[in-house]
Every structure is written in structure tokens, then in C-alpha cells.
Amino acid sequence: MGGYRILVVDDEVKLLNLIKNYLEKEGFDVTIADSGGEALKLLETQKFDLAVLDIMMPEVTGFDILRNIREKIKIPVIFLTARAEEQDKLLGLELGGDDYITKPFSLRELAARIRAVLRRVKPAGAANTILEYGGIKLDLNEKTAFLNGRPLSLTPTEFRILAILMANPGTVVSRLRILEEVLGGYYEGYERTLDTHISNLRKKLGDNPSNPCYIKTVYGAGYKLGGLS
């Protein structure tokens, strides 16, 4: 899985250089930034496949970076931080983060997490696949979404949830399957996060049960796309 461009942002310069050296030995193309402001400039001028963002940085935090770029860029984000509180993990994931690693951590674990996220969002041999249902159109390769011909702004996690539902029209998709395929596995805190993602998707698609692209909850089973069925 070499060749992917990774942006790593952390105000601990020594750690930043350790991460860069290790990931480059693992075959990644790594760019580093020691401040949130520098990271925003890089994200505006360069293309990356994934970003690793430290949360607790002065002036511009990892959360701030994600809020600023999420409407402009569709790349997965892994948060890297010393903060281990449950509410911080949930906030990071609800903002559109894809994973969360708590310091201290091993460089080997970080590389493994990066590969796992990239496998989920950039599967090997992915074709130019288009999914269409109820006025929604997703391009799985370009990661673009449209609703009734208009661009639809989705976070990477929302995009993947919707893609799973659209790939299984008229079929109930279990919560466990969504957790495993989108978030990489079951974790108790992810249950609440999944509820938030579904709620946000409903708002963007039209929170009306009679809408053909409504996400219907099938209690005790999972979710189903299609409010008319």
C-alpha cells in the first residue's frame, strides 16, 4: 500500500519527525506540519490521501482543521491525541473523523491504522462504480454525491454509510455490518456515533418517511433505504 500521500500534523516536532521517518520506511509519501495554520495552507494547495491530526494544538486545533476542510475536501482523517475522554472521541468521530489514536502509541500501530482506514475508503482495484437510487447518485471512485442533480455534501463516513445502503436497495443492513465496514469494527462508543451519522444523513437527504431516499430504521435489525417500502 505504498505511494499514498499522508499529511501528519502535530506541534511536537520530535514526534512529528519520528512519525515521518517511520511512515516513509513503510512506503508512504509523508508531509508534516507543526501547526494547524500550516496544515490548512497545505490542504488548500496539495492533494493528500489521508490526514493524521493532533487535536490539542495552539490556535488551530485538529477539530478546527477538520471543521474548516470538511466541506472542501473528501479525505479520511485519523485523530492523534493525548486526550482519551469518551466525549472527545465521540466529537472527533461525529465531526467526520475516521479513527482515533490515543498517545502514547506505537508507530507500528499508527501505520496499521492508516492502512486499515485506506483499505476501507480506497479498496484495491476499485472500479468506476456509480450507484443510483431515489434521486441519489454516488460515484464510488470519485467520491462525489448528488441529490436530484444537485451536489450533496457528505463526510467520508456519511458517504460510506450511504453507499452500503444504496448497494443493498430494499434490504435491511444491520448496525453491526455498518459498524464493521464503515468504522472498522464494533466499539461501544460507536453506537452513539452511528446514530449521529444516520441523523445527519436524514437531514441532508430529506427527513420525510414518504421520501424514496429516506433512511428507515428497522428496529432490532438495522437500516433500510427507501421510505416508501
Side-chain angles (χ1 to χ4, degrees):
M1 188 173 282
Y4 284 110
R5 297 203 66 210
I6 310 297
L7 174 65
V8 183
V9 188
D10 197 302
D11 61 342
E12 297 181 44
V13 177
K14 184 177 180 180
L15 175 61
L16 201 58
N17 288 320
L18 286 173
I19 292 173
K20 176 179 172 63
N21 291 336
Y22 185 86
L23 292 182
E24 287 182 339
K25 289 179 182 178
E26 292 292 305
F28 295 104
D29 181 356
V30 182
T31 299
I32 58 176
D34 60 8
S35 71
E38 182 184 357
L40 288 175
K41 292 178 181 177
L42 287 168
L43 286 162
E44 289 176 356
T45 58
Q46 299 184 35
K47 291 184 178 181
F48 297 96
D49 295 297
L50 180 144
V52 179
L53 307 178
D54 182 34
I55 291 180
M56 295 304 293
M57 294 183 291
E59 297 182 5
V60 181
T61 69
F63 288 157
D64 293 330
I65 295 171
L66 186 58
R67 288 190 183 100
N68 276 275
I69 69 173
R70 187 49 78 204
E71 294 300 319
K72 304 175 183 177
I73 191 169
K74 304 296 182 184
I75 63 170
V77 169
I78 295 177
F79 281 117
L80 184 65
T81 179
R83 300 178 67 172
E85 290 85 351
E86 184 75 8
Q87 62 181 13
D88 293 322
K89 293 182 180 180
L90 290 173
L91 177 57
L93 294 167
E94 289 170 0
L95 286 173
D98 295 87
D99 205 348
Y100 192 114
I101 302 178
T102 303
K103 298 177 182 178
F105 61 92
S106 72
L107 295 174
R108 182 178 179 182
E109 177 190 9
L110 175 59
R113 296 282 194 96
I114 289 173
R115 289 193 180 95
V117 171
L118 287 172
R119 278 196 298 269
R120 296 203 301 268
V121 300
K122 295 178 177 291
N128 282 321
T129 304
I130 304 295
L131 294 178
E132 296 187 70
Y133 184 88
I136 311 168
K137 181 178 180 179
L138 297 186
D139 186 323
L140 302 184
N141 188 57
E142 296 297 326
K143 297 295 186 294
T144 56
F146 296 87
L147 178 60
N148 298 322
R150 296 188 299 273
L152 182 63
S153 178
L154 301 176
T155 68
T157 300
E158 291 168 355
F159 186 96
R160 294 197 297 277
I161 292 173
L162 187 54
I164 291 175
L165 295 174
M166 290 180 65
N168 298 273
T171 302
V172 177
V173 182
S174 71
R175 289 174 63 88
L176 180 58
R177 178 180 172 186
I178 295 175
L179 288 169
E180 289 179 340
E181 293 191 21
V182 175
L183 298 176
Y186 176 81
Y187 167 66
E188 187 176 351
Y190 286 179
E191 289 277 358
R192 176 181 165 190
T193 302
L194 178 56
D195 292 336
T196 300
H197 288 312
I198 293 294
S199 176
N200 289 339
L201 270 172
R202 283 179 176 146
K203 292 174 183 176
K204 294 178 180 182
L205 297 174
D207 198 0
N208 184 341
S210 65
N211 191 324
C213 59
Y214 179 75
I215 299 176
K216 180 181 180 180
T217 299
V218 181
Y219 292 99
Y223 299 100
K224 178 181 180 181
L225 190 62
L228 296 179
S229 56

